Amino acid sequence: MTTSPLANLSATRELLDEFGLATKHRLGQNFLIDNHVIEHICQLAELDGTERVLEVGPGIGTLTLALVQEAARVVSIEMDATLEPVLDAHAADHDNFRYIMGDALKVSPALIAGAAGGEPEVFVANLPYNVAATIILQYFETMPSLRRAVVMVQKEVADRIAACPGTKAFGAYTVKLSLYGTVTGRFEVPPRCFMPAPHVDSAVVRIDRCRPAEGGDGSSGASLDPRAVGRVVDAAFAQRRKTIRNSMGANGFDKRALDAAFESAGIAPTARAETLSVEDFIRLARALESLAGREVDA
């Protein structure tokens, strides 16, 4: 089992004291202090020692020190400048670890690939909860080399990621992420696993990449641009209380074209967005694209 030397209360406190962070740290990070959680994350990640791993929000490096034991190379992105001396010390101790200081949403894939010695293949992170959902989707969109992600997020975000049609948590984000990946694992992480204990529950989810526009089952082909599906999804969920026809019609889509697309895709125009499956949205986007192509040809 892979463990981290920092995944306990005493080691975390000692490191914070050593670097003067115990009293100076002001960003409210919650440090992971449970090795069982580290072990479970590494099990889900299924690293075999050949992968280039990307991490966001390493903090003091608790998860990082486990990942460097399992991966060929680990590159972490950290925004908090006060943590750079800690990460620098880890980099000095581990030849296969590099870090980038900056905003994870602004660091370019090219810079990440340069630090990793190639494009990253696995994304493993205890993510900053306020931007976790955005980071996950953006990385799957912009880094096609990522085969899977194992990420810790707030429980409500995990619920959105794994939601099923017809449930309250199912929304535009669920559909758009499903165009790139399928949830293949999950476990809960209670507040007692952190120091200090947060006021929210956490969960770790594993997401495995599927080909774009498949929706996870491989039946819809890969030629449709996920961004085209995303535009349909955003318009459909823009006004959740309205029917999908009225919501999309009020958000940039011609209602006559919609009626023809609904009929072609076998979708009731009176349905609401949260009742449709990912595959329904793919069929609808494909039908709209086909209709637009016919108009151009005409």
Side-chain angles (χ1 to χ4, degrees), residues 245-264:
R245 181 181 187 273
N246 288 341
S247 183
M248 293 183 68
N251 286 274
F253 286 85
D254 179 80
K255 287 190 175 182
R256 288 177 298 178
L258 285 173
D259 289 338
F262 288 138
E263 182 177 0
S264 175

Side-chain angles (χ1 to χ4, degrees), residues 8-66:
N8 62 79
L9 186 59
S10 60
T12 295
R13 283 176 171 167
E14 288 175 8
L15 186 140
L16 291 173
D17 287 338
E18 177 185 352
F19 286 89
L21 296 171
T23 57
K24 295 180 181 178
H25 219 264
R26 298 182 300 275
L27 295 187
Q29 279 96 337
N30 303 101
F31 301 104
L32 188 59
I33 55 170
D34 190 317
N35 252 317
H36 294 297
V37 176
I38 295 289
E39 291 173 358
H40 204 162
I41 290 173
C42 290
Q43 287 175 348
L44 278 183
E46 290 188 296
L47 303 176
D48 63 14
T50 65
E51 300 93 346
R52 292 179 291 273
V53 173
L54 173 61
E55 181 189 24
V56 166
I60 60 172
T62 305
L63 177 58
T64 312
L65 294 184

Side-chain angles (χ1 to χ4, degrees), residues 175-243:
V175 178
K176 288 192 282 188
L177 183 58
S178 295
L179 299 174
Y180 296 94
T182 303
V183 175
T184 58
R186 172 175 175 164
F187 69 93
E188 313 300 305
V189 183
R192 67 174 181 272
C193 296
F194 301 89
M195 184 200 86
H199 299 297
V200 298
D201 291 325
S202 306
V204 174
V205 291
R206 170 170 164 165
I207 306 164
D208 283 72
R209 181 181 289 277
C210 60
R211 293 198 305 275
E214 281 187 353
D217 68 354
S219 62
S220 299
S223 61
L224 187 61
D225 185 347
R227 290 172 295 184
V229 185
R231 288 190 289 271
V232 169
V233 171
D234 285 336
F237 279 97
Q239 296 168 285
R240 289 184 67 126
R241 294 187 178 183
K242 290 188 175 183
T243 66

